[in-house]
Amino acid sequence: MRIVLFYHSLLSDWNHGNAHFLRGITTELMARSHTVSVYEPRGAWSMENLLAERGDAAIADFHRAYPHLESVRYAPRSLDLDQVLDGADLVIVHEWNEHDLVARIGAHRAHSGRYRLLFHDTHHRALTHRGDMAAYDLRHYDGVLAFGSVIRDIYLDAGWTERAWTWHEAADTRVFHPLAVPQEGDLVWVGNWGDGERSAELDEFLLGPARDLKLRTRIHGVRYPAEALSTLARCGIDYGGWVANFHVPQLFGGYRVTVHVPRRPYVEALPGIPTIRPFEALACGIPLVSAPWEDREGLFRPGTDYLIARDGTEMRQHLRAILHDDDMAQELARNGRETILGNHTCAHRVNELLAIGRELGLVDPA
């Protein structure tokens, strides 16, 4: 098949977690001999922030890690859809695209009628910014790929689409797997500070336990305000700034445990959506302790694949146990990776996507 993808950015993962999944899915589709073209707009905020912080060296690093991946960076107003979509079988448009582009592609589909067209949502805005999401014109789309059933149901219940499928994110196990590297510390966390959506939770489930247990801790991420950086310093935590996602497996390999601290909208209103970080951590075989979230869709085996801490006290207990019981740590790591390899790789998600293609009438999209 010829597959055309319109996403915010393939090249930059600066505060842009969807790039992780996009890279894995694109790699898997290409490995199965599909022709994949990825389009990203010039001036995308993730790319602009990455270039401002790290310069062209970050893009060169991406190409070394993914020599088979490339994107077309386009000017939205001059994009020739007749040319871009000529011969396409399947087109997927991500929800970080501008409303105008989403509508233009839908109108092109209505006029051409040849390819199958899907909208892909991997954010909580369908709940938290309903007006913005309702403004997307999806009349001529064949349906929506939603990264959790609660998001899928919002689209269906609101009448924004007639068809929607749950399509969870997953780990790219070509990149995310255990690595034997020299040990650097106890606890590592990779995540962005993020708009006040989990400031209190980070203090309770990450910063406080790391400080009180005197763990050798390292944190990577972006958008940390000065106050947050001061807090890290007071807690004795090493802050490493942005790290390219494809270097995270090596980072995980150098530490003994990690944690998951979901943002508040996912805990309170979007149960069943873990975001991509737990998939990647478990794929790397690092023991994981999570702040509370409800695995409503049964993706994992809580207590077996990872531990749940109901509060900061329990987080301290779990971290202490893992760091002092090698057998327990190894069992958690083994179980978590087993669940990823059995259910949550990008290969699994491509199988699901191709099944949706068949449901939509694509001829032998294998």
Side-chain angles (χ1 to χ4, degrees), residues 97-104 125 131-137:
N97 285 288
E98 296 295 333
H99 291 81
D100 179 67
L101 179 66
V102 173
R104 283 182 59 202
R125 291 184 301 152
D132 187 46
M133 299 307 295
Y136 282 110
D137 183 356

Side-chain angles (χ1 to χ4, degrees), residues 49-69:
N49 280 286
L50 178 60
L51 291 174
E53 183 173 323
R54 299 300 175 99
D56 291 335
I59 308 306
D61 196 24
F62 165 85
H63 287 300
R64 283 191 293 270
Y66 298 97
H68 56 288
L69 294 185

Side-chain angles (χ1 to χ4, degrees), residues 159-298:
W160 297 342
T161 185
E162 293 184 358
R163 305 180 78 171
W165 298 265
T166 300
W167 199 43
H168 282 287
E169 295 179 310
D172 177 2
T173 50
R174 288 180 170 87
V175 176
F176 287 84
H177 52 80
L179 293 176
V181 300
Q183 291 296 291
E184 297 184 21
D186 301 312
L187 170 63
V188 64
W189 188 71
V190 182
N192 305 320
W193 192 259
D195 302 323
E197 290 179 343
R198 56 180 169 193
S199 301
E201 291 84 351
L202 287 172
D203 183 67
E204 179 176 5
F205 292 99
L206 175 61
L207 307 185
R211 177 196 61 226
D212 295 345
L213 297 177
K214 296 181 171 56
L215 303 182
R216 294 171 298 164
T217 302
R218 186 173 182 83
I219 287 178
H220 283 271
V222 301
R223 300 178 68 189
Y224 281 66
E227 181 181 353
L229 295 177
S230 296
T231 300
L232 297 186
R234 288 196 302 271
C235 292
I237 294 172
D238 183 19
Y239 174 63
W242 173 81
V243 60
N245 194 54
F246 46 83
H247 290 315
V248 168
Q250 184 171 7
L251 191 63
F252 281 153
Y255 288 80
R256 300 172 62 193
V257 67
T258 190
V259 301
H260 175 49
V261 185
R263 295 171 186 260
R264 202 169 302 124
Y266 293 104
V267 175
E268 295 179 350
L270 299 175
I273 301 177
T275 73
I276 201 166
R277 290 293 186 190
F279 292 111
E280 294 175 339
L282 295 178
C284 288
I286 184 172
L288 172 69
V289 185
S290 178
W293 73 280
E294 184 182 357
D295 184 13
R296 181 173 292 181
E297 297 181 45

Side-chain angles (χ1 to χ4, degrees), residues 42-175:
R42 292 196 187 110
W45 52 259
S46 179
M47 174 65 81
E48 293 301 301
N49 280 286
L50 178 60
L51 291 174
E53 183 173 323
R54 299 300 175 99
D56 291 335
I59 308 306
D61 196 24
F62 165 85
H63 287 300
R64 283 191 293 270
Y66 298 97
H68 56 288
L69 294 185
E70 185 58 272
S71 65
V72 179
R73 298 179 68 191
Y74 65 91
R77 292 185 179 181
S78 61
L79 185 65
D80 185 341
L81 291 180
D82 286 335
Q83 180 181 22
V84 168
L85 298 176
D86 183 41
D89 298 295
L90 175 63
V91 179
I92 303 177
V93 184
H94 189 254
E95 38 83 16
W96 272 122
N97 285 288
E98 296 295 333
H99 291 81
D100 179 67
L101 179 66
V102 173
R104 283 182 59 202
I105 295 173
H108 186 275
R109 160 64 198 284
H111 177 72
S112 72
R114 291 187 298 272
Y115 50 84
R116 298 296 178 265
L117 178 60
L118 296 170
F119 188 71
H120 186 198
D121 192 331
T122 61
H123 202 263
H124 58 65
R125 291 184 301 152
L127 178 75
T128 57
H129 295 81
R130 288 181 68 96
D132 187 46
M133 299 307 295
Y136 282 110
D137 183 356
L138 304 181
R139 287 175 297 167
H140 305 301
Y141 283 66
D142 291 293
V144 171
L145 302 171
F147 79 143
S149 294
V150 63
I151 297 293
R152 177 203 63 197
D153 292 345
I154 288 173
Y155 275 86
L156 294 172
D157 293 344
W160 297 342
T161 185
E162 293 184 358
R163 305 180 78 171
W165 298 265
T166 300
W167 199 43
H168 282 287
E169 295 179 310
D172 177 2
T173 50
R174 288 180 170 87
V175 176

